[in-house]
Amino acid sequence: MKTLVIIAHPDINQSRINAHLKQAIINQPDITVHELYREYPDESIDVQYEQRLLEDHDRTIFQFPNYWYSYPPLLKKWFDDVLERGWAFKGRYALRGKAFGVAISSGFTPEDYRFDGHHRHTIEQIMAPFYATCNFIRTKSLPLFKTFEDLMVTEADLDQQAQKYLEYLRQSFSFHYNAWE
Ligand SMILES: Cc1cc2nc3c(=O)[nH]c(=O)nc-3n(C[C@H](O)[C@H](O)[C@H](O)COP(=O)(O)O)c2cc1C
């Protein structure tokens, strides 16, 4: 299985979590790492190149920090530009049957992301646009890979999380959310 990881961190040089996760997955034979902010400093996305990358991989994981309960802006632009009508939906469903996932880092703790917690919403809830997109373009959606900043205190915590991330990227999931089937 070929896995593409699309990293969207606006300032990876200042990152602890996403930089650490990235280190664990680069140079793995079955994983392609693609960094949007590095590739497109002017935010001008090469749509055909991105579409080819998606077509060439079975699974795509979007890795990014939670910014105001959403994607960083270049990743939102990526969805706007790359998932073109006639390619991703309407007429053609080029990604039908492929799997999409999200590896999101957030501040706070898991307890803060509960109905009765600080944010009053779960991470799954705030990622509703992602799930709706997968449904619309007929990709399978994978469980989220979540990292909470307040739990990543030591280097050992980061190392352990990076190991779990590698396992997540290679895990086969028996359940996929396929609303259209
Ligand atoms: C502009 C901005 C908005 C943020 N919004 C949220 C948010 O809505 N929820 C949250 O839990 N953390 C939020 N954070 C915290 C980041 O998600 C967190 O610091 C980041 O995931 C840590 O990963 P890193 O070390 O790779 O940067 C925000 C940070 C910034 C800079």
Side-chain angles (χ1 to χ4, degrees):
M1 187 180 60
K2 284 171 73 185
T3 299
L4 171 66
V5 178
I6 296 184
I7 300 180
H9 195 300
D11 193 0
I12 197 83
N13 297 322
Q14 295 299 317
S15 155
R16 262 185 89 230
I17 294 171
N18 286 279
H20 208 94
L21 297 181
K22 179 186 133 186
Q23 279 311 312
I25 63 169
I26 48 175
N27 302 325
Q28 299 286 337
D30 51 340
I31 299 171
T32 308
V33 177
H34 180 51
E35 279 185 81
L36 291 188
Y37 280 92
R38 195 168 81 164
E39 195 81 27
Y40 304 116
D42 61 353
E43 307 209 348
S44 174
I45 294 170
D46 182 340
V47 171
Q48 283 184 356
Y49 176 71
E50 297 296 316
Q51 290 178 348
R52 226 175 310 122
L53 266 182
L54 293 171
E55 286 176 343
D56 283 350
H57 291 80
D58 311 298
R59 183 181 281 188
T60 298
I61 306 296
F62 300 91
Q63 181 193 319
F64 57 91
N66 180 347
Y67 272 16
W68 289 110
Y69 311 107
S70 187
Y71 309 124
L74 185 56
L75 184 54
K76 173 61 168 63
K77 185 173 192 294
W78 183 97
F79 281 101
D80 295 348
D81 291 1
V82 176
L83 301 183
E84 286 181 319
R85 174 191 283 263
W87 181 77
F89 66 98
K90 290 260 165 76
R92 234 189 117 194
Y93 288 88
L95 304 174
R96 184 190 188 105
K98 291 185 184 288
F100 272 13
V102 151
I104 182 171
S105 63
S106 302
F108 308 91
T109 66
E111 290 70 36
D112 292 314
Y113 276 99
R114 291 192 339 201
F115 296 106
D116 57 351
H118 186 63
H119 296 284
R120 302 266 188 262
H121 293 77
T122 65
I123 305 268
E124 281 74 10
Q125 276 185 306
I126 65 165
M127 282 294 105
F130 170 76
Y131 290 119
T133 300
C134 291
N135 171 61
F136 190 64
I137 65 170
R138 303 184 180 176
T139 59
K140 301 166 187 169
S141 52
L142 303 174
L144 303 179
F145 182 83
K146 296 177 261 189
T147 306
F148 295 95
E149 202 166 23
D150 289 7
L151 302 186
M152 297 295 116
V153 181
T154 64
E155 283 296 296
D157 296 329
L158 286 168
D159 287 344
Q160 200 179 29
Q161 186 68 357
Q163 196 49 45
K164 284 190 195 154
Y165 189 35
L166 264 181
E167 285 162 21
Y168 166 83
L169 293 176
R170 293 183 171 139
Q171 196 174 334
S172 58
F173 294 96
S174 53
F175 170 77
H176 294 288
Y177 175 67
N178 292 339
W180 69 93
E181 279 172 352

